[in-house]
């Protein structure tokens, strides 16, 4: 196939040469299309020698061939790696001020973008917004890896290894979604493209895993989060929690058994991740911020009918990540003070976005762990939390020494909002039992039935 390899002007441009080679070795015809700034990092002869194509940057070269239209029409796949913050902004805005952006605008093939930049730029709201816009166009935006950046700093923003980008790009072209290869590293976000295949899937004829599934949730898409997030302090330490992931995995299983197409967003779990199967897509995440991003990507790429937030999300993270291990001074008796900052409340944000008319599921389910006290029972605390979170359903786990965390058994109250009333169902038994009961309630919920 003919692949256009767009290359942005970042230090990671050298990795584009390796990516070009991987595609060529697999028998693809690769047309390199660097930006002007990319050529400040790697010279045109490198790309020309590796690809056998002349390098063109501007629409004012080969004008007689109307090159950007020709290239766009002939392309089977466009891969932009690395994509800088500026290139993301230009693509999101629909600019056509060089050959690459002009070609992307004229092409109808899948587009896969692998951003690379410093963590601050990647986390900047402007960049976040541009990524969301690009995903909204149906482009696949591959998550950057976490690791060493250009200088002595490290964090999220590193270009994933060329082989991982190749795999994500070929999977996007094939219309499949590969499972993430490692926690906190590359996570292909979407294989969707607003072409004929995506339309067929939206029409409900097929799921990525095969024909439409039968059951009370047949034809429905459910996004489930599971496990506990880990917030890194330094290369060897993190702030974590005791979530085993068993409950979230049980919810995913019960939803699959009920015929749903399930996207399972897995933070750290104490139990093995489920094996891949038809109808199940798994993505691994590390931190609360990564989970937030994975949730919004999963909701943006294809409409979801329900979101079940089973994961234990850290409310706080260390304000600063130390690049090298925090050492104790053998002479001193004091200890370092770790400053924490608040993490966003993902569940609340999804509820808020739905209120503003954004892409959001019909049914939003939260989980909460409470111990209860003399002042308030577990159910009372649950009712208050259902109100404050604004979800449609809240599963309140009663946590005690042997209950819930890590155990196969659980005791919970499922609170379902019915107009101004709240319906309460107590469930005690296995986590599988609670998951099945929850899925039954979801399938019979009027907001799910209306869709
Ligand atoms: O406030 P609390 O942590 O008890 O709320 C638990 C629920 O909120 C869970 O569904 C959890 O997945 C979700 N949550 C979240 N973002 C956070 C903290 C919790 O989405 N930062």
């Amino acid at each position: 196939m003919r692949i256009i390899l767009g290359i942005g002007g970042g230090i990671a441009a050298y990795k584009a040469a390796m990516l070009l080679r991987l595609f060529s070795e697999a028998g693809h015809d690769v047309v390199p299309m660097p930006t002007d700034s990319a050529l400040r990092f790697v010279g045109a002869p490198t790309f020309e020698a590796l690809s056998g194509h002349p390098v063109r940057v501007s629409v004012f070269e080969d004008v007689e061939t109307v090159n950007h239209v020709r290239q766009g029409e002939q392309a089977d796949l466009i891969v932009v790696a690395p994509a800088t913050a500026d290139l993301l902004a230009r693509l999101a805005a629909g600019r056509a001020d060089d050959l690459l952006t002009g070609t992307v605008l004229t092409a109808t093939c899948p587009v896969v973008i692998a951003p690379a930049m410093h963590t601050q730029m990647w986390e900047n709201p402007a960049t976040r917004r541009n990524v969301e816009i690009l995903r909204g166009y149906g482009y696949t935006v591959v998550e950057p890896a976490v690791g060493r950046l250009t200088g002595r700093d490290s964090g999220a923003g590193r270009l994933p290894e060329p082989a991982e980008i190749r795999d994500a790009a070929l999977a996007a072209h094939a219309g499949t979604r590969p499972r993430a290869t490692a926690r906190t590293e590359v996570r292909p976000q979407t294989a969707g493209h607003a072409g004929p295949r995506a339309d067929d899937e939206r029409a409900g004829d097929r799921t990525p895993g095969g024909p439409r599934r039968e059951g009370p949730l047949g034809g429905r898409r459910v996004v489930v989060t599971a496990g506990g997030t880990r917030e890194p302090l330094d290369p060897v330490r993190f702030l974590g929690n005791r979530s085993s992931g068993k409950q979230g995995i049980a919810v995913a299983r019960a939803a699959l058994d009920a015929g749903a197409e399930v996207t399972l967003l897995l933070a750290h779990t104490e139990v093995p991740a489920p094996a891949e199967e038809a109808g199940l897509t798994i993505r691994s995440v590390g931190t609360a911020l990564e989970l937030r991003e994975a949730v919004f990507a999963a909701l943006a790429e294809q409409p979801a009918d329900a979101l079940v937030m089973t994961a234990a999300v850290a409310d706080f993270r260390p304000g600063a990540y130390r690049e090298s291990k925090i050492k104790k001074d053998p002479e001193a008796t004091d200890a370092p003070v770790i400053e924490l900052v608040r993490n966003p409340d993902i569940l609340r944000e999804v509820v808020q976005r739905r209120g503003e008319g954004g892409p959001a599921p019909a049914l939003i389910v939260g989980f909460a762990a409470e111990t209860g006290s003399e002042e308030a029972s577990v159910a009372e605390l649950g009712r208050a939390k259902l109100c404050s979170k604004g979800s449609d359903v809240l599963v309140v786990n009663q946590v005690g020494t042997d209950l819930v965390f890590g155990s196969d058994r659980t005791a919970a109250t499922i609170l379902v909002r019915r107009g101004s009333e709240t319906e309460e169902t107590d469930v005690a038994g296995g986590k599988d039992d609670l998951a099945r009961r929850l899925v039954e309630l979801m399938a019979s919920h009027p907001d799910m039935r209306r869709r």
Side-chain angles (χ1 to χ4, degrees):
M1 90 176 135
R2 189 175 174 97
I3 302 175
I4 291 186
L5 179 59
I7 304 145
I11 190 81
Y14 75 92
K15 287 191 184 173
M18 293 142 88
L19 182 58
L20 195 166
R21 181 147 221 167
L22 287 179
F23 283 135
S24 301
E25 278 171 0
H28 302 296
D29 180 22
V30 188
V31 179
M33 215 173 269
T35 63
D36 230 350
S37 329
L39 294 180
R40 291 174 172 234
F41 290 93
V42 181
T46 300
F47 297 123
E48 290 177 333
L50 288 172
S51 69
H53 286 282
V55 160
R56 300 283 182 260
V57 174
S58 157
V59 285
F60 296 108
E61 292 162 293
D62 304 328
V63 177
E64 73 286 359
T65 67
V66 198
N67 203 15
H68 60 297
V69 177
R70 183 170 64 98
Q71 296 293 356
E73 278 172 355
Q74 291 178 352
D76 299 300
L77 174 67
I78 296 182
V79 181
V80 183
T84 57
D86 181 66
L87 186 49
L88 291 179
R90 288 194 293 131
L91 290 168
R95 299 281 302 266
D97 47 359
D98 60 8
L99 183 61
L100 174 59
T101 49
T103 300
V104 171
L105 276 188
T106 56
T108 54
C109 62
V111 176
V112 176
I113 299 172
M117 62 199 74
H118 281 276
T119 310
Q120 297 89 329
M121 296 172 87
W122 175 244
E123 289 178 351
N124 187 288
T127 306
R128 315 285 347 119
R129 194 177 137 75
N130 289 331
V131 169
E132 267 189 46
I133 291 171
L134 292 166
R135 286 185 174 142
Y137 296 159
Y139 299 168
T140 297
V141 181
V142 177
E143 287 291 295
V146 177
R148 182 81 187 264
L149 301 172
T150 314
R152 295 184 51 77
D153 49 347
S154 64
R158 188 181 153 90
L159 190 73
E161 290 312 306
E164 293 174 27
I165 301 172
R166 173 202 58 197
D167 293 348
L170 296 181
H173 182 260
T176 59
R177 285 169 219 172
R179 189 176 160 180
T181 50
R183 284 177 206 289
T184 75
E185 293 191 354
V186 66
R187 285 180 304 284
Q189 291 293 332
T190 141
H193 176 254
R197 184 178 4 243
D199 290 344
D200 290 350
E201 280 174 12
R202 242 173 259 133
D205 296 341
R206 297 181 59 75
T207 68
R212 189 190 172 106
R213 301 158 59 82
E214 297 300 323
L217 288 182
R220 302 310 173 96
R221 182 164 177 261
V222 178
V223 177
V224 182
T225 69
T229 63
R230 288 180 160 188
E231 313 296 317
L233 261 168
D234 67 19
V236 292
R237 304 183 180 97
F238 57 83
L239 293 178
N241 60 64
R242 295 179 58 202
S243 174
S244 65
K246 285 181 182 175
Q247 186 62 75
I249 291 171
V251 171
R253 177 77 264 152
L256 273 169
D257 291 346
E261 187 196 325
V262 175
T263 299
L264 177 59
L265 307 177
L266 268 184
H268 174 78
T269 60
E270 296 294 336
V271 291
E276 276 192 280
E277 62 179 275
L280 176 64
T281 303
I282 301 179
R283 293 186 192 140
S284 299
V285 298
T287 64
L289 291 179
E290 287 170 8
L291 179 62
R292 175 183 178 276
E293 190 168 331
V295 165
F296 284 113
L299 296 180
E301 73 194 25
Q302 242 187 314
D305 298 283
L307 168 69
V308 186
M309 287 287 302
T310 324
V313 186
D315 290 320
F316 308 100
R317 67 179 186 276
Y321 172 77
R322 307 280 183 88
E323 205 189 307
S324 46
K325 187 179 169 190
I326 303 167
K327 294 280 189 202
K328 63 173 177 283
D329 178 353
E331 308 303 323
T333 53
D334 63 339
V337 174
I338 297 162
E339 198 199 332
L340 300 178
V341 294
R342 285 285 284 259
N343 272 331
D345 190 316
I346 307 165
L347 182 60
R348 261 204 200 114
E349 265 187 77
V350 176
V351 169
Q352 193 180 340
R353 283 199 191 191
R354 185 172 66 178
E356 293 162 356
L363 206 64
I364 302 174
V365 181
F367 268 70
E370 302 289 353
T371 54
S373 66
E374 282 182 9
E375 287 81 48
S377 69
V378 169
E380 282 166 339
L381 292 169
R383 272 175 235 133
K385 189 157 276 184
L386 180 67
C387 266
S388 74
K389 293 269 181 183
S391 59
D392 307 297
V393 179
L394 189 76
V395 182
V396 193
N397 281 306
Q398 193 178 330
V399 286
T401 39
D402 296 330
L403 271 179
V404 182
F405 288 122
S407 167
D408 288 331
R409 303 192 64 74
T410 190
T413 304
I414 307 177
L415 307 174
V416 184
R417 200 195 289 276
R418 305 254 184 229
S420 56
E421 303 289 303
T422 304
E423 182 188 286
E424 300 186 8
T425 309
D426 290 328
V427 182
K431 287 184 174 168
D432 297 351
D433 299 320
L434 173 60
R436 276 193 295 272
R437 190 78 192 92
L438 177 64
V439 164
E440 280 168 23
L441 281 166
M442 286 165 58
S444 64
H445 194 283
D447 289 352
M448 284 290 265
R449 286 211 307 264
R450 257 198 293 279
R451 298 265 282 205

